[in-house]
Amino acid sequence: MRRREFVVGALSTGALVTTLPAASATPFAADALSGAVPYGAAIRIDELADILYSEAVRTYCKVIVAEGAMKWSDLQAVRGSFTFEPTDTLLAFAQDNDIELRGHTLAWYAALPEWAERISSAEEARTELVHHIDTVVGRYKGRIRSWDVVNEAIAEDPTPDAPYRDSVWLRHLGPDYIELALRTASEADSSAQLVLNDYEFEQPTDQARAKRKAFLDMVRGLKSRNVPLHAIGLQGHLRGESAVDSPGISSFVAELSALGLGILVTELDVIDDQLPGPIEERDKLIAARAREFLSAIGSVVRPEIVVTWGVSDQHTWVPIWFSRQDGLPNRPLPLDENYQPKELMRVIQDFTQSFA
Ligand code: XIL
């Protein structure tokens, strides 16, 4: 039914007719899969005006997150003046379509407006961090259930002496900013799910091992101080060329869930700049890499959601950092540039449905 609407919608625009219908993976039959893990994607709000884009989101997603609109630089470009319209639009789209909107993100080293980068004292940092979180979480209380409270708190290359990533928050408040952010979010909405989100845990490297250790140390510390924290977001920006450390990820997830934390896959995509060019070969490798990652998690826990960082190869952040030397477009996401499902979509479907 939904698939039909998707195809009809596409045809009525007169666009891409020759590419439809050619689904190798059908959309999720939402009603038949009430036990399945919800799938979703990061959304570019402006693209919702494109019928192919919005129909793809409606067809496949049960959960969405703003790719950019809810970061500091968008929400509070001018100090003290909040811009909520895009988020409100996205929330209305979500509610109209029975989709859950997640919040991303309340404390991050990046996507800060210039004024916030210039914060110059601990007192100022504390005041602004609390004000922002209190205002944003308070506004969406009861409407946004799950928040990436702190994003990427762990250093790129953590050492025992320097486990945390540099940021205006860390510089002025030390690692206590993490606790402050979580406590403030909890006060603003005591029923919100509070998440720490981070990346690059899955690589078979010393760096990833050190990241997992630093992250677990941080989480144990927070838990021992009774800081409100409910779940962990594994971003999952996988490197196509690099094997997943399956035992490493499985035991990491097991330790986190033993601490009573839920596990979310929040930003899955497969970075394909180092993979061979031919599409069929590349798509297979991409799908296999995602399967490895999801299986390593799923063998231990049932993740609460699987979210990809975008829905179609037409709109992906990957080329910003990982464009291919041969000039071919990246293909990191479950739908291709014409919104046709790829093998990666099949992997996600199989995975999410395996819990139904
Ligand atoms: C990225 C967006 O996709 C880009 O469009 C933007 O320019 C920079 O941020 N980890 C995260 C996301 O948590 O917020 C990032 O999103 C990608 C990496």
Side-chain angles (χ1 to χ4, degrees), residues 3-18:
R3 171 73 200 166
R4 234 166 73 115
E5 286 163 13
F6 179 45
V7 173
V8 170
L11 290 173
S12 69
T13 68
L16 304 172
V17 171
T18 52

Side-chain angles (χ1 to χ4, degrees), residues 44 67 71 104 108 151-152 235 237 267 309 317 320:
R44 296 185 178 175
E67 187 175 338
K71 292 170 179 168
H104 174 87
W108 193 25
N151 196 32
E152 304 179 346
Q235 291 186 2
H237 294 292
E267 304 188 15
W309 204 241
W317 77 300
I320 303 173

Side-chain angles (χ1 to χ4, degrees), residues 174-341:
D176 287 353
Y177 87 85
I178 299 162
E179 176 166 345
L180 179 65
L182 288 162
R183 288 198 190 280
T184 306
S186 173
E187 273 163 35
D189 183 355
S190 61
S191 54
Q193 178 188 58
L194 307 182
V195 180
L196 295 180
N197 195 43
D198 218 317
Y199 73 107
E200 234 160 51
F201 294 126
E202 63 280 344
Q203 291 195 32
T205 58
D206 288 343
Q207 188 183 350
R209 259 188 293 281
K211 247 184 137 162
R212 294 196 297 265
K213 177 169 185 330
F215 192 88
L216 274 169
D217 288 348
M218 168 180 71
V219 166
R220 290 204 178 98
L222 292 165
K223 281 283 176 193
S224 72
R225 297 193 298 283
N226 283 321
V227 178
L229 170 65
H230 309 111
I232 301 307
L234 308 177
Q235 291 186 2
H237 294 292
L238 310 180
R239 298 302 184 106
E241 74 282 8
S242 152
V244 167
D245 180 352
S246 295
I249 277 291
S250 295
S251 57
F252 182 56
V253 161
E255 294 194 65
L256 291 166
S257 45
L259 292 167
L261 297 164
I263 302 294
L264 283 57
V265 176
T266 50
E267 304 188 15
L268 182 64
D269 54 18
V270 182
I271 297 169
D272 62 341
D273 59 326
Q274 306 295 319
L275 293 183
I279 284 178
E280 210 178 310
E281 185 183 1
R282 193 158 22 127
D283 283 356
K284 273 199 190 339
L285 293 168
I286 286 168
R289 192 64 74 218
R291 191 187 295 277
E292 255 182 286
F293 178 67
L294 292 174
S295 305
I297 297 167
S299 65
V300 181
V301 295
R302 171 200 167 112
E304 294 186 18
I305 51 172
V306 173
V307 168
T308 51
W309 204 241
V311 65
S312 141
D313 294 335
Q314 185 72 36
H315 302 290
T316 161
W317 77 300
V318 168
I320 303 173
W321 296 105
F322 307 99
S323 67
R324 294 176 57 88
Q325 273 188 352
D326 58 14
L328 291 173
N330 298 96
R331 301 177 62 82
L333 289 168
L335 302 182
D336 72 12
E337 69 282 13
N338 296 319
Y339 296 89
Q340 295 302 305

